[in-house]
Amino acid sequence: IVSVFVAFLSFVVVPWSDLKFDDIKQAQKTRTEFDTLTPGRFQSFGTGGRITYTEKLSPDRKRLENVFISQRSMQNSGNDSDVTILVAESGTQYLDENTGSRFLLLENGYRYNGIPGKTDYNVTRYDQYGVKIPKPAEVQSRTKSELKTSKALFNSDNPEDIAQLQWRVSVPLMVLIVTLIAVPLSRVNPRQGRYTRLLPSIFMYLTYLGILTTSRTAVEEGNLAPYIGLWWVHLLFFSIGLALLGNLHKKLPWYQK
């Protein structure tokens, strides 16, 4: 029952959840800073280099009122940070159809530029001032095997897809084989400590998992034939489980009689 449940998670739930999580990440990458702007809050963008504030924001998110923008950049020489501060009564977003770039057109405001702690600030009053909105990061095509459905993996001859499919099969298969190994390892002599075989059991499980992971990487890189793949690891530890189980059977009282 546990193995069937784990198989359902491995073949259906985990790929689905990975895909949904990746959808959220992709959606975040395609949004500009003004798509996430919240009225009445100072928000940091561009790894903390730019801080933006607006008192009000129209429902279509294109018109801002009482705007504040602080942009920090390092000087070419020295370690001083050059700071540009823009304040405006209002701002409107628009798209340049020729270049595809988005701009924020600020109206009736001031531009302050200089180095904090020094007095040589440049102050400029403007009627209109255009601020280019950085383009969102380009969304890369999603070809990760982890995001593909199990059906798509079955119909693929890509080494990475084959390795991923074998890994999904391996997870529920491990449950059965590890259980087979755990039964004989769980029996200890009454005179021995209860946890005598706990450490060897953990070591055997980690070895099993480590060899599986290494074999998966070898299949992905084309260094191991897919028909060998991860199956030899399961066969090896299944044989170990049978040997341990056979050895346990010989020690049982009814076998000795």
Side-chain angles (χ1 to χ4, degrees):
I1 294 175
V2 173
S3 182
V4 171
F5 178 70
V6 171
F8 175 71
L9 293 178
S10 179
F11 281 93
V12 181
V13 177
V14 173
W16 175 83
S17 62
D18 286 343
L19 183 61
K20 292 300 179 182
F21 179 72
D22 192 71
D23 286 340
I24 296 174
K25 289 173 59 179
Q26 297 294 333
Q28 292 294 330
K29 289 181 180 180
T30 58
R31 302 177 70 181
T32 65
E33 61 184 65
F34 289 98
D35 292 327
T36 59
L37 197 61
T38 302
R41 293 179 57 185
F42 287 90
Q43 294 179 248
S44 177
F45 300 99
T47 64
R50 182 169 53 257
I51 297 176
T52 305
Y53 170 88
T54 179
E55 184 177 348
K56 294 182 181 179
L57 185 63
S58 63
D60 60 1
R61 311 189 69 83
K62 290 186 177 180
R63 183 168 181 82
L64 298 77
E65 295 184 14
N66 294 332
V67 185
F68 170 92
I69 298 177
S70 174
Q71 177 72 48
R72 180 184 294 270
S73 61
M74 298 299 295
Q75 292 282 10
N76 294 330
S77 59
N79 296 322
D80 293 332
S81 296
D82 180 77
V83 176
T84 299
I85 295 176
L86 299 169
V87 291
E89 292 182 3
S90 62
T92 306
Q93 292 190 60
Y94 74 95
L95 177 67
D96 189 339
E97 297 181 355
N98 295 326
T99 62
S101 300
R102 296 177 65 182
F103 291 88
L104 177 63
L105 183 62
L106 300 175
E107 299 176 349
N108 300 326
Y110 290 87
R111 178 182 184 272
Y112 304 90
N113 178 258
I115 299 175
K118 297 185 178 181
T119 57
D120 55 344
Y121 264 74
N122 295 320
V123 181
T124 306
R125 188 189 185 284
Y126 58 83
D127 293 328
Q128 289 186 332
Y129 187 91
V131 179
K132 186 176 181 180
I133 302 175
K135 291 183 178 181
E138 295 183 0
V139 178
Q140 299 179 351
S141 58
R142 299 182 297 179
T143 58
K144 294 182 179 179
S145 301
E146 292 85 353
L147 305 179
K148 295 183 180 180
T149 63
S150 298
K151 183 179 180 180
L153 296 179
F154 270 113
N155 299 324
S156 175
D157 56 357
N158 187 307
E160 293 185 1
D161 294 343
I162 295 174
Q164 176 63 26
L165 178 61
Q166 292 186 6
W167 179 261
R168 293 183 187 179
V169 176
S170 296
V171 176
L173 198 58
M174 279 186 66
V175 175
L176 299 175
I177 297 177
V178 168
T179 303
L180 183 66
I181 296 175
V183 171
L185 288 179
S186 64
R187 190 175 187 274
V188 296
N189 192 304
R191 296 181 180 180
Q192 296 176 340
R194 183 178 301 178
Y195 305 104
T196 302
R197 296 191 178 181
L198 183 60
L199 208 58
S201 301
I202 295 175
F203 176 76
M204 184 172 292
Y205 171 75
L206 293 178
T207 302
Y208 189 2
L209 188 61
I211 298 176
L212 273 178
T213 305
T214 303
S215 298
R216 175 186 175 181
T217 304
V219 174
E220 290 176 344
E221 296 176 352
N223 298 326
L224 185 63
Y227 66 87
I228 298 177
L230 281 63
W231 312 126
W232 73 273
V233 185
H234 296 299
L235 183 60
L236 172 63
F237 281 85
F238 178 72
S239 302
I240 293 175
L242 289 180
L244 291 174
L245 203 60
N247 185 53
L248 173 64
H249 180 68
K250 292 179 181 180
K251 294 180 180 180
L252 295 177
W254 59 79
Y255 182 86
Q256 295 176 358
K257 292 180 181 180

